[in-house]
Amino acid sequence: MSFYIDETLFFDFYLNGVKLPLTFNNITSMLITSNIYDLLPQIRIDINDNLGLLDKGMLTDGTILSVAIGSDSEKAMEDIMDFVLIGVPEQNTKTNSNSFLIYGVLNFPKFLREVKPYAFTGTSSNALSNIASTCGLKFDGVVTADEMTWINGTRNLGQFSQFIRDHGWSGDTSFMMSAVNLHKTLLYRDINSLRPNYIITNSSVADNEKSFRADEMTFQNKAGIYNYSYGYKTNATEYFLNSTEDKLFTEISYVKDNSSVLNMNSDIYNELGIIRNDLFPINIGNVHTNYQQAFYQNQRYKALNSLKCESYFSKSTPIDLLDKVQLARTDVASKTLDTDKAASWVVEAKTLAISQQRYFEKLTLSTTGIDADLFNNLI
């Protein structure tokens, strides 16, 4: 099954290396998402098979769905994305019995599932490069100054890579982040040292190799990443005065995250010493000099990057995960540049979509909204 969208973007799909006997009209919708939170990119595709061309045995757990996207057929075949189907495809009861919802994850099972004792002596960048090579991924990372022996016990290799990243260090202002992109590459970046590679704007004079016009931009303040990392998705703060003690208290109401092993608030964490143990493990000479500071520093910058922007495009862009971009948003009413929002943002998620026979991209960006150097003086 191969087709063009708007005569500019070529698509091709294969199941276990066999080209699907379907047409563009059979794709009701498709979402391919990569982000900094999940271990690997994922796909969700709704296939309408009215003629019953798909053999039921083709859509099973473990089937490889290959997706090729490019400006033409030759470009598309240069960087094919292989996804392994997860679970049994769901029949979409909202349409008809031959409509299937298929879910998959980028096909690197070692990174996602393999748990094994692992020890590597070197910097965090060296260790992540070694994990990527072990799992069949490519690696693109920065040089770090944090040599030690990185030891894994019960984490899978993807989780262990995030543990290494969280304790990575390249300087007093470093903010280390990692992610696997759609090009099968484990990226490792110091966010605070990056400079914008692209410009996103709502101006009609954009659209060249470095500047891209967004059809829509929406902004949100989504504080709470730090709380989420300790077991909570959102939080609300309520202030009240205790007249007997004449003190101001804060009462925090949390939404339970069922993935959390221990469902308790930060005060209890501190009383039990869990955070203290997490930040300050027994130092027997193995960890690097800035091991504890690195974890605190990376978590702090995660929490500060709470201002979000979602930018929507009706064309393909080369902007990738963990790229720094500059926002140049013109106020429609005044025709002047909006200077209220930060100019420099980092890409934390990218989604490719087909819907209603059209192609879209969504980039989720985040920023502190203030210069990082100023934060270093305040915190």
Side-chain angles (χ1 to χ4, degrees), residues 331-356:
D331 183 77
V332 177
S334 64
K335 306 297 183 182
T336 58
L337 192 66
D338 182 1
T339 58
D340 291 338
K341 299 178 179 66
S344 183
W345 300 67
V346 64
V347 180
E348 64 175 40
K350 181 173 184 175
T351 298
L352 317 182
I354 295 177
S355 179
Q356 299 177 345

Side-chain angles (χ1 to χ4, degrees), residues 84-361:
V84 59
L85 301 193
I86 303 296
V88 179
E90 300 176 12
Q91 287 193 334
N92 191 346
T93 55
K94 293 182 180 179
T95 53
N96 57 66
S97 59
N98 288 323
S99 183
F100 300 96
L101 284 173
I102 302 172
Y103 301 90
V105 63
L106 203 64
N107 187 29
F108 289 93
K110 279 190 175 183
F111 191 77
L112 186 65
R113 298 297 185 194
E114 184 165 308
V115 179
K116 66 176 183 179
Y118 180 96
F120 182 89
T121 301
T123 65
S124 61
S125 185
N126 296 148
L128 291 177
S129 177
N130 185 267
I131 290 176
S133 177
T134 299
C135 298
L137 290 162
K138 293 175 283 187
F139 179 74
D140 181 2
V142 296
V143 176
T144 54
D146 48 12
E147 184 170 348
M148 59 176 274
T149 300
W150 303 90
I151 301 174
N152 182 44
T154 59
R155 298 177 179 89
N156 63 50
L157 291 179
Q159 292 170 334
F160 185 45
S161 75
Q162 293 185 336
F163 172 84
I164 294 173
R165 170 203 69 194
D166 288 342
H167 294 85
W169 169 275
S170 68
D172 292 336
T173 61
S174 61
F175 171 25
M176 308 310 298
M177 183 52 62
S178 66
V180 175
N181 67 9
L182 293 173
H183 304 294
K184 297 162 279 191
T185 302
L186 175 57
L187 305 172
Y188 188 41
R189 300 282 187 265
D190 174 6
I191 301 301
N192 287 342
S193 69
L194 296 176
R195 295 293 177 264
N197 295 325
Y198 302 98
I199 297 174
I200 296 176
T201 178
N202 60 346
S203 171
S204 59
V205 298
D207 287 343
N208 53 54
E209 292 183 353
K210 293 294 182 180
S211 180
F212 298 91
R213 181 182 181 275
D215 300 320
E216 182 181 349
M217 296 183 194
T218 59
F219 296 88
Q220 287 182 311
N221 191 337
K222 299 183 69 174
I225 296 178
Y226 190 82
N227 288 322
Y228 173 74
S229 70
Y230 283 112
Y232 302 96
K233 290 188 181 296
T234 58
N235 67 292
T237 305
E238 180 180 346
Y239 296 91
F240 63 96
L241 191 66
N242 186 320
S243 58
T244 58
E245 297 183 9
D246 197 30
K247 292 182 180 179
L248 185 66
F249 289 86
T250 61
E251 182 177 60
I252 303 178
S253 301
Y254 293 100
V255 176
K256 181 178 179 180
D257 175 10
N258 291 325
S259 66
S260 173
V261 178
L262 298 172
N263 184 37
M264 56 184 70
N265 65 33
S266 58
D267 289 338
I268 299 177
Y269 259 109
N270 284 322
E271 289 174 7
L272 294 178
I274 293 177
I275 288 182
R276 186 162 54 254
N277 288 337
D278 206 7
L279 291 175
F280 301 100
I282 298 174
N283 188 344
I284 57 174
N286 177 51
V287 298
H288 65 83
T289 304
N290 298 294
Y291 184 85
Q292 295 92 344
Q293 174 66 20
F295 182 77
Y296 160 72
Q297 190 165 295
N298 290 326
Q299 292 296 314
R300 184 188 77 186
Y301 279 119
K302 263 191 190 180
L304 293 176
N305 270 51
S306 59
L307 191 61
K308 309 293 181 180
C309 171
E310 292 184 342
S311 299
Y312 299 84
F313 306 83
S314 53
K315 61 178 291 184
S316 176
T317 73
I319 304 173
D320 199 6
L321 280 181
L322 301 184
D323 277 345
K324 262 282 179 72
V325 300
Q326 180 180 344
L327 285 190
R329 184 177 179 273
T330 302
D331 183 77
V332 177
S334 64
K335 306 297 183 182
T336 58
L337 192 66
D338 182 1
T339 58
D340 291 338
K341 299 178 179 66
S344 183
W345 300 67
V346 64
V347 180
E348 64 175 40
K350 181 173 184 175
T351 298
L352 317 182
I354 295 177
S355 179
Q356 299 177 345
Q357 299 187 352
R358 294 186 60 194
Y359 176 80
F360 302 93
E361 283 188 8

Side-chain angles (χ1 to χ4, degrees), residues 18-36:
V18 178
K19 183 176 288 193
L20 287 175
L22 304 172
T23 68
F24 179 39
N25 295 325
N26 296 109
I27 302 296
T28 303
S29 66
M30 181 196 75
L31 293 173
I32 299 177
T33 300
S34 55
N35 59 61
I36 63 173

Side-chain angles (χ1 to χ4, degrees), residues 31-84:
L31 293 173
I32 299 177
T33 300
S34 55
N35 59 61
I36 63 173
Y37 305 104
D38 297 316
L39 294 179
L40 290 171
Q42 302 164 29
I43 188 171
R44 175 190 181 276
I45 185 168
D46 188 347
I47 293 182
N48 181 6
D49 184 24
N50 286 329
L51 299 179
L53 297 176
L54 284 176
D55 187 298
K56 291 184 179 179
M58 298 175 71
L59 300 177
T60 60
D61 185 66
T63 297
I64 303 300
L65 171 65
S66 302
V67 182
I69 305 175
S71 56
D72 54 44
S73 58
E74 185 176 339
K75 292 289 185 183
M77 300 306 291
E78 290 177 358
D79 198 16
I80 296 178
M81 295 173 284
D82 293 327
F83 295 90
V84 59

